[in-house]
Each structure stands twice: as structure tokens, then as C-alpha cells.
Amino acid sequence: EGYGAAGHFILGADRTGIFGLRFDVGFLNYGNERQRDCISTTISCRVTLDVTTSNNIFMLGVGPQLMLPNGTLRPYVNGSVGLSYFWTESSLSGSDNSTTFASTRNFSDAVFASSAGAGLYIPVHRGRQPVSLDLGARYHWNGRTRYLRKGSIVDNPDGTISINPIESRTDLVTYHLGVSFGTP
């Protein structure tokens, strides 16, 4: 399970809006860990720091979209090819989490990706600048990827870390609810 944000842009290939070239970009966070510790045991524990580790995916793709050109409900299907970039990053901040002042990329991997999606545009405003609700789902084929998850980084007693990447298929399904501006 995870959460994220995504956006897309459609370059219309015809006036009716049936066919278009869709450009997708998205971000997904699939886990976080936080550890709180003293800044130094020789000074005291009056000042604490948080080490936060986040596991993320950046997705980018381009491909066709087919859509019914008008009507109360406007179903669409699309597909894309592109890439997925998996990375894990640890950052250091004060215990109030207001400012990150150091970070390290612990591990990353990029893979060729493809996707297929379907959804429904529900027009809420027609006219010169139409607005629609966008409900949909997308299946992402990321293939075999090396990545980290909670517990993949181990803090050793001597202050070093051990990184234990996982290699497996990383296909996933995303669901979205959004707003589309300028949909024909």
C-alpha cells in the first residue's frame, strides 16, 4: 500500500477528442521508517534528532488514449511505455520535523515500465474551459526491480549500516480520483 500524486497531459490528435497522445508522470511513497535518537550521548539527550527513511517510486510514461467524445459519462482507456525509478532515501531533521538538514540516497534502481489504464471522465463544467472529475485505475508492469522496504537497512553496532536489497517483480495497481481541466 502507498500514496502519491500524479498528473497527465493529453495532446489531442483529432477535434472530437476520441484519440490523443497521453503523457503521464507520478510519484508513489510505499513506506517510511522513523527513528528518534540523542544528538550525542556524551552531551546528553536534551537534543534529539529524527532519522526518516522513505521508499519511493517515480513513474514516467507516454502512449495513446481513446475516449468517447461526448456524453454525461466519458469512459477512456490508455496505455504507455516509459520508466519507473525506485529509490530509498534517509534524512535527518530536528524532532519537530520542521527542517531537514541532511539526506542520503541509500539505494536506487530504474527499470523499463509499461502500463494500461481505464477510467471515466464525469463533466462538471462545460464551455470554453471544461472541467471533469477523473476516476480510474492503472496496472503498471515494472518487471524485476531491486528495491528496499522497511527493515532492508540494518544499523550495525559499530555505526555502519547493512543494505539488503530485494529483487522481485514490482508490478502494481494504482487507483486515482482527480480533476481534469480542458478535457474536450
Side-chain angles (χ1 to χ4, degrees):
E1 293 180 16
Y3 65 90
H8 68 269
F9 173 79
I10 300 171
L11 184 60
D14 63 17
R15 288 183 179 207
T16 63
I18 293 173
F19 180 76
L21 186 61
R22 180 176 168 133
F23 299 87
D24 286 296
V25 63
F27 166 81
L28 178 71
N29 174 276
Y30 63 92
N32 295 293
E33 291 180 71
R34 188 177 90 177
Q35 293 176 286
R36 180 167 288 169
D37 209 346
C38 299
I39 193 167
S40 168
T41 54
T42 58
I43 296 172
S44 82
C45 280
R46 291 185 187 192
V47 177
T48 58
L49 297 173
D50 285 340
V51 176
T52 304
T53 300
S54 63
N55 302 304
N56 309 290
I57 307 169
F58 173 78
M59 298 169 279
L60 186 66
V62 62
Q65 175 163 302
L66 297 172
M67 172 177 59
L68 284 182
N70 52 36
T72 305
L73 301 177
R74 302 177 58 209
Y76 65 85
V77 295
N78 56 47
S80 73
V81 294
L83 68 89
S84 289
Y85 178 69
F86 290 70
W87 82 96
T88 297
E89 186 169 271
S90 294
S91 60
L92 191 60
S93 64
S95 59
D96 64 357
N97 291 325
S98 62
T99 305
T100 296
F101 55 87
S103 67
T104 298
R105 180 133 322 158
N106 305 108
F107 192 83
S108 64
D109 193 12
V111 293
F112 173 79
S114 61
S115 69
L120 190 63
Y121 288 124
I122 304 168
V124 293
H125 174 71
R126 298 186 188 270
R128 186 175 174 98
Q129 191 66 280
V131 177
S132 299
L133 292 177
D134 181 4
L135 304 169
R138 179 173 281 235
Y139 192 89
H140 301 264
W141 289 275
N142 294 311
R144 292 193 70 79
T145 309
R146 289 171 40 101
Y147 60 97
L148 302 182
R149 65 178 178 203
K150 186 176 182 176
S152 291
I153 301 175
V154 177
D155 294 296
N156 299 319
D158 65 358
T160 62
I161 60 171
S162 297
I163 296 177
N164 303 303
I166 298 156
E167 183 173 346
S168 70
R169 291 198 60 81
T170 54
D171 302 339
L172 57 104
V173 177
T174 58
Y175 301 96
H176 67 266
L177 168 62
V179 178
S180 179
F181 299 96
T183 307

